[in-house]
């Protein structure tokens, strides 16, 4: 049975460390090395970790006196790991007891290099994907894995063979550094197996406690707070700034051999970042006028328009409204999306709000055009889902939209 190294970076995690350790120590997969990296904590983090290490010899503590950030801590963990397999974990999260065993078994069965599971715990990042194996030497599989699973971005819902981790986390990047890491890993991985079981519990502070009591806010909290004052600090703009780094990784790691057009591949993410941002705004109850202002500006950005131009190959034509018409439609779009989100949250529906936002974007801002490519594309698949009533998201959206006859009559594209 292979040894799995669980890498846990932590900075001032005294409030959540007990539940983190308990969830790791309760794993049904026992052959573990638990590397706990104390990243210059100033609270009781180290003493709590030492208590657990004294009780379980599988725990090793790496104590950094200086706070160097999560990427540096993860890199140190990879360097010091002795396991054949690597599992990352955040110190404020939890694993279900069978997480590592389940990922190990499916990885072994499918002869995969990476095993991916779903996660739960926070509705902002509710995601879905089907159980399937991706052959990364197949262009459509590569595109589908990248476009179709938010999980692709994350390090902690994956079990990695150590041999594919030949890259490091970029210690100079403090936003989406995990996406850049996972993008680079695709060069060395051949097969990825995904299972739609939520085995990891992701915690996001605003849903659980009074943020006024939290000394260190999360990265996303800080971005949302600052973007309310300065649009250029928003998730979308920060995501856009990563384009050169993504392209460099793709050119160096994939060398253009696996995908026919690297720019097309890149620009799917320029588009997606706006809808992740909208999900974050909705969850954090950001002022509606701030969201409207941000959306108008993003839709007018050349990079967003270029991202939408890529969609032309797949039969999706973006209508570039301007002035008062754009402002009116954006306002209606945001109001509808926020109302949908509130309905989903209040009724605890297992509906992917992100897809609902995409479906409404398609209705208001896009029209059908000739399809010139047979490759996989998320938006064109969603369009077919609506036509065929293929998913519960499509059915929910149609029903919710039908109740708003005024909007249906005013917005026809």
């Amino acid at each position: 049975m292979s040894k799995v190294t669980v890498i846990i970076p932590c900075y001032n995690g005294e409030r959540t460390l007990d539940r983190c350790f308990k969830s790791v120590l309760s794993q049904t997969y026992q052959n573990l090395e638990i590397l706990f990296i104390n990243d210059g904590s100033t609270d009781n983090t180290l003493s709590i970790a030492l208590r657990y290490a004294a009780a379980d010899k599988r725990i090793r503590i790496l104590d950094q006196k200086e706070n160097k950030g999560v990427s540096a801590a993860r890199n140190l963990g990879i360097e010091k790991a002795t396991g054949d397999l690597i599992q990352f974990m955040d110190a404020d999260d939890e694993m279900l007891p069978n997480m590592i065993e389940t990922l190990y078994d499916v990885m072994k069965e499918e002869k995969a290099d990476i095993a991916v599971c779903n996660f739960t715990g926070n509705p902002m990042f509710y995601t879905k994907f089907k159980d399937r194996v991706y052959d990364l030497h197949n262009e459509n599989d590569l595109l589908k894995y990248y476009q179709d699973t938010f999980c692709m971005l994350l390090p902690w819902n994956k079990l990695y063979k150590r041999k594919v981790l030949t890259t490091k986390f970029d210690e100079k990047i403090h936003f989406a550094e995990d996406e850049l890491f996972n993008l680079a890993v695709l060069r060395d991985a051949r097969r990825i197996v995904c299972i739609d079981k939520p085995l990891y519990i992701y915690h996001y502070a605003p849903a659980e406690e009074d943020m006024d009591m939290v000394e260190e806010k999360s990265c996303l909290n800080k971005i949302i707070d600052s973007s309310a004052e300065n649009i250029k600090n928003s998730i979308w703009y920060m995501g856009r700034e990563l384009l050169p780094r993504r392209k460099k990784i793709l050119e160096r790691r994939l060398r253009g051999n696996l995908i026919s057009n690297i720019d097309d591949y890149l620009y799917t993410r320029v588009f997606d970042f706006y809808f992740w941002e909208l999900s974050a705004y909705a969850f954090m109850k950001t002022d509606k006028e701030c969201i409207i202002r941000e959306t108008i500006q993003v839709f007018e950005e050349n990079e967003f328009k270029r991202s939408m131009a890529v969609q032309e190959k797949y039969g999706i034509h973006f209508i570039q409204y301007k002035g008062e018409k754009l402002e009116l439609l954006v306002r209606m779009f945001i109001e509808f999306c926020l109302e949908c989100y509130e309905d989903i949250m209040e009724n605890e529906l297992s509906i992917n709000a992100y897809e609902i936002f995409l479906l409404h974007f398609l209705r208001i801002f896009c029209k059908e055009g000739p399809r010139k490519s047979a490759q996989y594309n998320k938006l064109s698949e969603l369009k077919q889902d609506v036509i065929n009533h293929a998913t519960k998201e499509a059915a929910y959206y149609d029903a919710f939209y039908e109740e708003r006859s005024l909007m249906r009559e005013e917005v026809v594209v």
Side-chain angles (χ1 to χ4, degrees):
M1 183 179 286
S2 299
K3 182 193 289 186
V4 175
T5 297
V6 182
I7 297 173
I8 309 174
C10 186
Y11 172 68
N12 288 353
E14 63 178 12
R15 294 174 295 105
T16 61
L17 210 47
D18 279 319
R19 75 182 180 198
C20 170
F21 271 124
K22 287 176 182 177
S23 79
V24 178
L25 296 176
S26 67
Q27 290 297 300
T28 55
Y29 194 94
Q30 291 289 300
N31 190 14
L32 302 178
E33 172 189 47
I34 302 165
L35 279 186
F36 182 83
I37 297 95
N38 179 43
D39 188 26
S41 297
T42 58
D43 62 0
N44 293 317
T45 289
L46 182 58
S47 61
I48 295 171
L50 287 169
R51 172 164 52 86
Y52 277 96
D56 195 312
K57 299 305 179 184
R58 295 177 299 174
I59 300 174
R60 290 172 54 202
I61 297 176
L62 303 177
D63 184 22
Q64 296 190 134
K65 302 304 181 184
E66 179 186 350
N67 176 238
K68 297 182 179 180
V70 66
S71 291
R74 286 172 177 160
N75 287 337
L76 178 63
I78 295 171
E79 178 187 337
K80 299 297 184 182
T82 62
D84 303 307
L85 304 169
I86 301 290
Q87 169 79 57
F88 297 102
M89 185 180 188
D90 285 354
D92 55 349
D93 293 341
E94 300 171 77
M95 297 176 180
L96 294 189
N98 64 334
M99 177 176 172
I100 293 177
E101 182 178 16
T102 302
L103 290 178
Y104 176 81
D105 287 346
V106 73
M107 173 186 278
K108 188 175 180 180
E109 179 182 350
E110 298 294 346
K111 296 180 173 59
D113 299 305
I114 303 172
V116 184
C117 70
N118 214 331
F119 60 96
T120 186
N122 184 280
M124 188 179 86
F125 291 131
Y126 173 78
T127 187
K128 66 171 186 176
F129 52 84
K130 296 178 181 178
D131 294 355
R132 66 166 290 170
V133 176
Y134 295 87
D135 178 357
L136 299 185
H137 285 198
N138 176 290
E139 185 173 0
N140 268 350
D141 271 17
L142 186 61
L143 289 170
K144 187 171 178 63
Y145 175 68
Y146 190 55
Q147 290 187 33
D148 213 28
T149 62
F150 180 83
C151 288
M152 182 271 172
L153 307 179
L154 311 169
W156 35 253
N157 67 328
K158 297 175 178 65
L159 183 63
Y160 301 85
K161 285 187 178 178
R162 187 176 178 178
K163 68 179 184 180
V164 304
L165 301 186
T166 61
T167 189
K168 292 184 176 181
F169 287 89
D170 190 329
E171 297 178 16
K172 297 179 181 179
I173 299 295
H174 303 291
F175 173 75
E177 71 286 341
D178 39 10
E179 182 202 0
L180 298 179
F181 173 80
N182 279 307
L183 190 59
V185 167
L186 295 184
R187 173 63 178 84
D188 298 296
R190 170 64 188 266
R191 286 168 66 83
I192 296 180
V193 57
C194 291
I195 54 172
D196 191 17
K197 291 181 180 178
L199 302 175
Y200 189 92
I201 304 175
Y202 171 74
H203 290 283
Y204 188 61
E208 302 153 24
E209 56 195 323
D210 183 355
M211 285 303 296
D212 291 336
M213 302 297 291
V214 179
E215 180 181 350
E216 281 294 315
K217 292 187 177 184
S218 72
C219 172
L220 280 177
N221 266 298
K222 292 175 181 177
I223 293 170
I224 295 296
D225 287 350
S226 63
S227 66
E229 301 173 2
N230 183 353
I231 290 174
K232 295 295 184 179
N233 291 332
S234 71
I235 293 173
W236 186 83
Y237 283 95
M238 294 183 72
R240 185 193 67 177
E241 293 304 309
L242 294 177
L243 274 173
R245 291 182 179 271
R246 290 195 196 97
K247 187 165 187 175
K248 185 177 180 180
I249 289 171
L250 285 171
E251 290 176 337
R252 183 177 70 246
R253 305 293 291 183
L254 300 183
R255 301 188 182 93
N257 294 333
L258 302 182
I259 48 180
S260 57
N261 191 317
I262 285 180
D263 283 343
D264 283 8
Y265 194 69
L266 283 170
Y267 275 90
T268 60
R269 276 297 179 242
V270 177
F271 172 75
D272 287 342
F273 263 108
Y274 167 74
F275 289 91
W276 296 334
E277 173 178 88
L278 181 54
S279 299
Y281 280 143
F283 175 71
M284 297 187 69
K285 303 185 187 306
T286 303
D287 178 70
K288 182 176 68 176
E289 295 303 317
C290 173
I291 305 175
I292 291 170
R293 185 174 70 251
E294 160 79 350
T295 302
I296 291 171
Q297 183 151 333
V298 168
F299 285 6
E300 291 181 324
E301 287 282 343
N302 288 332
E303 299 291 354
F304 186 84
K305 292 176 182 177
R306 182 173 177 183
S307 178
M308 290 309 302
V310 171
Q311 306 292 340
E312 297 277 354
K313 296 181 180 180
Y314 308 96
I316 306 294
H317 176 69
F318 177 55
I319 306 171
Q320 297 184 28
Y321 294 106
K322 297 180 180 179
E324 293 183 1
K325 181 68 171 180
L326 175 62
E327 183 175 352
L328 171 65
L329 294 179
V330 165
R331 182 171 295 278
M332 295 172 69
F333 169 68
I334 295 301
E335 288 176 349
F336 181 92
C337 289
L338 294 181
E339 190 175 350
C340 269
Y341 190 88
E342 185 177 354
D343 179 66
I344 291 168
M345 294 300 106
E346 285 185 355
N347 294 289
E348 299 182 348
L349 303 176
S350 58
I351 297 291
N352 189 332
Y354 169 82
E355 285 198 6
I356 300 299
F357 299 162
L358 285 172
L359 291 172
H360 201 52
F361 175 82
L362 278 171
R363 183 185 289 271
I364 290 185
F365 294 102
C366 302
K367 67 179 181 181
E368 190 169 356
R371 185 182 177 105
K372 302 173 184 177
S373 174
Q375 287 180 328
Y376 175 77
N377 179 265
K378 177 68 174 177
L379 274 186
S380 60
E381 183 178 76
L382 282 173
K383 182 179 67 176
Q384 290 303 312
D385 285 347
V386 173
I387 293 172
N388 301 326
H389 248 233
T391 65
K392 61 184 177 182
E393 280 76 20
Y396 171 86
Y397 173 74
D398 279 353
F400 200 86
Y401 183 78
E402 285 299 321
E403 293 176 2
R404 283 134 186 88
S405 58
L406 180 61
M407 180 176 289
R408 186 175 68 251
E409 291 171 3
E410 288 187 358
V411 182
V412 179
V413 296

